[in-house]
Amino acid sequence: MRGKTALIMHHYASILHAPWFDPIMTRLLQFCALAGTLAVLSGCGTMTDLVTSNLPESHSGRPSIVVSLREQEAYLYRRGYRTASSRISSGREGYRTPIGRFQVIRKDEDHRSSLYGDYVDDSGRIVKANVDSRRDSRPPHSHFVGTPMPYFLEFSPGYGLHQGYLPGVPASHGCIRMPYWKARQFYNAAHVGTPVVVKL
């Protein structure tokens, strides 16, 4: 995303500094460059997540969270009113996200997985990537470092909502991944005891 944005800005800057370019065209091209940059950012969904997650909530009261696996969406409610929503990536085949009624049992802003991650050496260099610490043997002179799971809202032992990669399909080991801004929004709204419903 940053590479595309830099390329757009460099291309237009080279034209803007041409001696034959008049001021009206300069303004028009600056507008086009801005529109192109915003289009690139919006395509990633980052800009939309940033804006919507920082809007004031239209209702107050106790929060609750509903996750739809079919829709690959999570919803934040206040007294029955939906106040926020987020794209998600739930558990892939063989690592299904549990379905049912739960509640937040733990919050951890800087959580790391205790099962999935990398084996790294003492200098921090990855020796073996994307491992399951229960199944993959540890190479000599290495140690396990769990995958970061920021803004972790655990609703069932070993399962929670957290910030993570969203490829557009269910892809996790059972947790519910969310974009950064949305994970932070849900994390800040929820507390231990907040109801969480996961449905098909």
Side-chain angles (χ1 to χ4, degrees):
M1 182 175 70
R2 290 175 184 163
K4 288 181 182 178
T5 304
L7 188 61
I8 291 169
M9 298 307 290
H10 175 74
H11 174 70
Y12 287 119
S14 63
I15 297 173
L16 288 173
H17 290 96
W20 47 266
F21 216 74
D22 68 44
I24 295 175
M25 288 302 291
T26 299
R27 288 284 185 177
L28 180 60
L29 202 51
Q30 285 174 336
F31 176 77
C32 291
L34 177 61
T37 302
L38 288 174
V40 169
L41 291 173
S42 296
C44 297
T46 304
M47 186 64 70
T48 302
D49 293 335
L50 168 61
V51 172
T52 59
S53 65
N54 285 286
L55 290 173
E57 289 189 53
S58 54
H59 293 86
S60 61
R62 291 187 176 183
S64 61
I65 297 169
V66 175
V67 177
S68 172
L69 301 183
R70 182 175 288 112
E71 296 173 7
Q72 288 292 283
E73 290 273 337
Y75 307 102
L76 179 64
Y77 287 87
R78 297 273 190 182
R79 290 186 178 169
Y81 294 96
R82 185 187 297 179
T83 61
S85 64
S86 174
R87 301 169 290 125
I88 66 160
S89 179
S90 59
R92 65 179 186 261
E93 189 68 36
Y95 294 93
R96 296 292 189 186
T97 301
I99 297 168
R101 295 182 175 274
F102 309 94
Q103 62 181 23
V104 174
I105 56 176
R106 180 166 64 114
K107 294 179 65 173
D108 185 353
E109 189 172 343
D110 299 309
H111 186 70
R112 282 184 175 270
S113 174
S114 60
L115 300 177
Y116 307 106
D118 305 313
Y119 287 123
V120 302
D121 62 18
D122 288 339
S123 65
R125 184 179 61 88
I126 296 175
V127 178
K128 193 173 184 179
N130 300 318
V131 300
D132 181 335
S133 62
R134 299 166 299 181
R135 302 174 185 171
D136 297 302
S137 58
R138 183 174 60 85
H141 312 295
S142 70
H143 61 277
F144 176 77
V145 175
T147 300
M149 301 163 70
Y151 301 112
F152 186 64
L153 290 173
E154 189 172 21
F155 60 84
S156 183
Y159 296 94
L161 298 96
H162 64 83
Q163 187 267 323
Y165 173 59
L166 279 76
V169 295
S172 78
H173 290 105
C175 281
I176 297 164
R177 298 178 187 168
M178 308 174 77
Y180 170 83
W181 291 105
K182 292 297 183 176
R184 193 175 80 159
Q185 180 185 21
F186 277 57
Y187 183 90
N188 288 337
H191 52 78
V192 172
T194 293
V196 177
V197 177
V198 183
K199 62 183 183 179
L200 288 176

